[in-house]
Amino acid sequence: MKTYLDCYPCFLRQALSAARQADASVELQRRILLETMDQLRALPAQATPPVMAEIIHRTVRRETHTPDPYARSKRDATAQAMALLPGLRERVRGAPDPLETAVRIAIAGNIIDDGMAEPFDLEATLARVLEQPFAIDGLARLREALKDADSILYLADNAGETVFDRVLIECLALPVIYVVKAGPIINDATREDALAAGLDEVSHIIDNGSDAPGTLLEHCSAAFREQFAKAPLILAKGQANYETLSETRASVFFLLQAKCSVIAGDLGVPVGSVVLKAPS
């Protein structure tokens, strides 16, 4: 997905938010914003939004000398989600269609996103997503793909959301490779965050060699690109994975909430939609 003009003010908001998360002074916040504006001027027109986000957050980490500005937020989100885990498992066990319920739970967790400006209510979102019709419904295609696959490559999104992913993985009768970021970027999950959510108990955790949001394949390690190329079935969580992989020919199912008007427009759905998009 290309970067739209409506993404530009969001980039500036992200830069300011990250600088404040890192306790930057007002003057340093200003310098970071001015540098972000310079970087926006140089951004290629066809670049995907995560290309710019990677630049912004590397700038913030460098200028503030803060390796992970969102570390506390990630720990808090994971703790909040872990408190819900027993109830989430019970919902799946008691569901008439456990797979659909587990998929919806995983998508509900996608509301945990420090890259967005809006606050979220995790339990209210869960109640909504469990009942809301899919705006794009690839569930039947996913069922068929699961019958034919012998393993799953699962591309993670955010810390805390990892717990909701765990519920879905526990429902899948296939080996899962769970892919996290190689370094901190916004509140995206790293190996540490995945371990805190117990993903090592239900999957094999690897990183993609990149600290960009989503999956910028050209920025990922050769080892990950090999895994991606041979994966029979890929589950990709969140908006950034859609932004970076929407034009791939790989067998990718996108699981997300359309929280942003730009992404909703690209998908052709209303903001707030529940999306399970099958491969084209």
Side-chain angles (χ1 to χ4, degrees), residues 95 146 191 243 259 278:
L146 288 170
R191 178 177 292 274
E243 289 172 318
K259 297 165 286 190

Side-chain angles (χ1 to χ4, degrees), residues 129-186:
V129 174
L130 283 170
E131 300 295 332
Q132 185 174 335
F134 286 107
I136 299 176
D137 186 355
L139 186 60
R141 292 272 306 278
L142 178 60
R143 289 188 203 277
E144 290 304 310
L146 288 170
K147 292 177 185 177
D148 296 334
D150 57 6
S151 64
I152 297 169
L153 191 69
Y154 198 120
L155 308 183
D157 191 17
N158 298 317
E161 185 176 348
T162 46
V163 177
F164 292 73
D165 295 338
R166 177 177 175 176
V167 173
L168 175 54
I169 291 170
E170 289 175 348
C171 189
L172 302 172
L174 292 170
V176 174
I177 297 173
Y178 194 71
V179 185
V180 297
K181 302 300 186 294
I185 175 72
I186 324 179

Side-chain angles (χ1 to χ4, degrees), residues 155 208 210 214-222 224-226 228-229 244-245 248 250:
L155 308 183
N208 67 2
S210 168
T215 305
L216 289 167
L217 288 171
E218 64 273 22
H219 294 201
C220 294
S221 66
F224 170 74
R225 291 197 301 270
E226 181 180 349
F228 187 90
T244 50
L245 295 173
T248 184

Side-chain angles (χ1 to χ4, degrees), residues 49-67:
V51 170
M52 187 64 204
E54 180 183 35
I55 294 169
I56 289 169
H57 291 280
R58 283 183 175 177
T59 299
V60 171
R61 293 195 301 270
R62 182 187 72 241
E63 294 297 321
T64 64
H65 307 288
T66 306

